[in-house]
Amino acid sequence: MIIAGVGLSVLAVVLVGIVVARKVDGDSANFLVAGRRLGVPLVAASLMAAAVDSNATVGNTDLTSAFGFWSGASLALGLALCLLLTGIFLAKPMNRMGLFTLADFYRLRYGRGVEVASSLLMIFAFAILMAGNLVACGFLLERFLGLDYTLGVGIAVVLVLVYTIGGGMFSDAYTAAIQIVITLTATAALLWWVGSTIGFSIPDGMGPFDFEQLTSTDAGAPINWATLLSLGIGDIVAIDFMQRIFSARSPEVARRSCFTGAAGTAVIGVAYALVSLAAVSAFGLDMADGPVLFTLLDDYAPPALTILVLSGIVAASFSTASGAILATSAVAVRNILGVRRVTTEPGVRDPLLRWTRMAMIPVVILGVTVALQVAQTGILLTLAFDLMLACLVVPFLLGLFWKRGGTRAAVAAMVTGLVVRIGLFVLTPTMYGVPNDVAYLPNDLVPASFDGWPTFYGGLTSLVAYLIAATVWPRTITEEAWSIADGDVPVTAPDAVAVPVARVGAPPSSPVIAAAPAPALPDAGLPVAPQV
């Protein structure tokens, strides 16, 4: 009964995604950024659905049950902080730039080499993020249907791929609207049931007002702050978040959507953390028997509530996985392989659209491989954006708001952050309170109490490296010319035939010749990317 109910909700989401796929109409601009015409409801829903995934629900409850409120809730609160900061400082300028992927920014600002390097890091990080959501789906099908975990992961990825490969951002946005309604309803129902049956009793030292979780090393303060920093700042360069911001019809829509998504993410994350604490207090649940939330629903909750909550978890996981597949494939094809959107005569297939769809197959294989090797949820989310924080945040933020740093500064920040973060990762015996059985090198130099601090050192050394390199090697005139001359369509030689390129938002029958780059943005110091 439970699986049948969840299956119906999943089927409804998949069918909507397939029906909406016709909006793509053979154009990669529609596929990647929904034609840049989504309003606040769809953008906000897709941002919230991307944030409130299995990591912020299943991973949240697991970590909360073991280490306290701030250990688990920080996953959702960190993502909410990221959306808040993005709305305040970044949504407007990034939407105005008219990019297709976040890696486009690194090309415009630092050149082709940095574009490729940043793209590889993004793909690796988002394979980890995708894996975290597939892990939750695999555990769910294993627990409630008796399927093998590997088979469960495979079923989940196939269902997500079915509608993502057809409708891209349009399918992602419309299915997210359904998914977030299910998630909000499930959260409200779960809170009501817990409050009316077992009450919100909280074990000593584990509640939201037990601030030693944020001040004492023994209570995990470095790990909790590292989670907030990694997700609150590191997630700023999340390619799926930015893909949705690029899809907004205007800078103001992008900004308002971020604020709405931040509020919803925070509320849902806090709710699931409180539910976990209540379950620990009432039933003594822990991770030894599998995900705490699944145990609570399977053994204690009424079937109708179980169906609703599990449907919300699966829906949110599907949305995040869908966005990760889409954004990662786009980065691989556009920013590594260099394929561009070119529309000519009717009937000619857009190469960027075609190759992005094809790239989804190896992308999901990579995500499944990670999910089978590291069967964790919340840990995978934080680990992914730890890497982004150490390597890509500094070049992005300083590159956007400070003109001095050039290619050498970006490379210095990325290489230094990567070396320091990976080095500390393999030397630290635990990662966010969980034994490091991924890549630990036994040593006597780094104790388990150092856990959490590598996040800070990775970001800090990246910042220092950028500042030093920018001081020694300022941005050159040649580097500034890269961004001014950058375009998706090659400059037409005198004896060449101009390639018509459909302007974003224009009817398919109204091609125009690629225009000269727009003037620099006064608030970002970068040119508007060509709308092609």
Side-chain angles (χ1 to χ4, degrees):
M1 175 181 175
I2 292 176
I3 288 299
V6 175
L8 288 176
S9 68
V10 170
L11 179 62
V13 169
V14 172
L15 288 177
V16 168
I18 293 173
V19 170
V20 173
R22 63 183 180 179
K23 289 179 174 288
V24 172
D25 195 27
D27 190 340
S28 58
N30 293 331
F31 189 74
L32 298 180
V33 290
R36 307 186 198 279
R37 57 179 186 263
L38 298 183
V40 171
L42 287 177
V43 178
S46 61
L47 285 170
M48 195 186 308
V52 184
D53 60 357
S54 65
N55 298 291
T57 53
V58 179
N60 177 355
T61 52
D62 281 349
L63 292 173
T64 298
S65 69
F67 307 110
F69 174 87
W70 287 100
S71 179
S74 292
L75 293 172
L77 293 177
L79 293 169
L81 175 62
C82 169
L83 289 175
L84 177 63
L85 294 175
T86 300
I88 294 173
F89 299 108
L90 302 170
K92 283 189 172 183
M94 293 307 294
N95 179 268
R96 275 199 294 264
M97 289 180 70
L99 307 178
F100 279 100
T101 69
L102 181 60
D104 286 347
F105 171 87
Y106 291 88
R107 183 187 72 251
L108 286 167
R109 185 62 174 79
Y110 300 112
R112 174 66 174 158
V114 174
E115 174 192 19
V116 173
S118 64
S119 298
L120 292 172
L121 288 168
M122 291 174 186
I123 290 171
F124 178 73
F126 269 77
I128 298 175
L129 173 66
M130 187 197 319
N133 287 276
L134 296 178
V135 166
C137 293
F139 279 143
L140 187 152
L141 293 176
E142 182 181 51
R143 175 74 185 239
F144 293 95
L145 197 59
L147 294 179
D148 180 73
Y149 169 76
T150 301
L151 179 60
V153 169
I155 291 174
V157 79
V158 168
L159 290 174
V160 174
L161 190 60
V162 163
Y163 69 83
T164 306
I165 205 169
M169 183 54 67
F170 271 122
S171 291
D172 180 88
Y174 278 88
T175 55
I178 299 173
Q179 291 159 345
I180 208 62
V181 169
I182 295 174
T183 301
L184 288 171
T185 304
T187 302
L190 183 61
L191 284 174
W192 178 84
W193 176 75
V194 170
S196 61
T197 55
I198 62 176
F200 288 99
S201 178
I202 297 175
D204 292 339
M206 299 183 69
F209 300 109
D210 293 311
F211 292 115
E212 62 267 21
Q213 297 174 55
L214 298 175
T215 59
S216 171
T217 300
D218 293 338
I223 298 174
N224 295 335
W225 280 111
T227 302
L228 288 169
L229 178 67
S230 177
L231 299 180
I233 306 299
D235 210 27
I236 283 175
V237 289
I239 53 178
D240 60 340
F241 276 3
M242 283 297 173
Q243 205 79 12
R244 291 161 168 89
I245 288 171
F246 300 154
S247 303
R249 71 163 63 104
S250 71
E252 182 58 28
V253 166
R255 178 174 175 269
R256 289 164 54 196
S257 299
C258 286
F259 294 150
T260 303
T265 300
V267 169
I268 293 173
V270 169
Y272 274 91
L274 293 177
V275 166
S276 177
L277 292 174
V280 170
S281 178
F283 307 121
L285 303 184
D286 58 44
M287 292 187 292
D289 298 322
V292 168
L293 185 59
F294 291 169
T295 302
L296 175 66
L297 295 173
D298 191 22
D299 295 345
Y300 301 98
L305 178 63
T306 300
I307 291 172
L308 186 59
V309 174
L310 292 180
S311 297
I313 293 171
V314 172
S317 298
F318 275 24
S319 179
T320 302
S322 172
I325 292 170
L326 175 63
T328 304
S329 302
V331 167
V333 171
R334 180 177 170 84
N335 301 110
I336 294 181
L337 300 181
V339 178
R340 293 292 183 264
R341 171 181 178 261
V342 177
T343 58
T344 52
E345 298 299 324
V348 176
R349 299 177 65 187
D350 184 343
L352 181 57
L353 173 61
R354 180 174 69 255
W355 285 103
T356 300
R357 282 173 165 164
M358 293 178 65
M360 289 183 176
I361 304 301
V363 164
V364 299
I365 291 175
L366 178 60
V368 169
T369 301
V370 176
L372 298 181
Q373 294 297 318
V374 186
Q376 298 283 348
T377 49
I379 297 302
L380 284 175
L381 174 68
T382 313
L383 184 60
F385 291 106
D386 237 14
L387 187 63
M388 305 290 269
L389 174 66
C391 301
L392 298 181
V393 167
V394 170
F396 174 63
L397 293 179
L398 293 188
L400 186 62
F401 296 111
W402 189 39
K403 296 182 179 180
R404 185 177 180 86
T407 302
R408 292 180 178 180
V411 171
M414 292 168 65
V415 172
T416 303
L418 180 64
V419 170
V420 170
R421 188 62 191 93
I422 295 298
L424 292 177
F425 172 67
V426 300
L427 292 176
T428 307
T430 59
M431 53 180 184
Y432 305 101
V434 176
N436 181 2
D437 53 7
V438 177
Y440 175 57
L441 296 178
N443 66 94
D444 297 324
L445 299 175
V446 181
S449 59
F450 190 68
D451 194 1
W453 291 107
T455 298
F456 297 91
Y457 286 113
L460 181 61
T461 54
S462 177
L463 174 61
V464 171
Y466 189 99
L467 294 175
I468 292 175
T471 301
V472 176
W473 300 293
R475 190 181 184 195
T476 65
I477 295 176
T478 302
E479 290 174 350
E480 293 177 3
W482 290 346
S483 61
I484 295 174
D486 184 89
D488 288 344
V489 178
V491 177
T492 305
D495 59 347
V497 178
V499 180
V501 181
R503 181 183 291 117
V504 172
S509 60
S510 305
V512 296
I513 302 302
L521 287 173
D523 59 347
L526 286 170
V528 177
Q531 298 287 311
V532 295

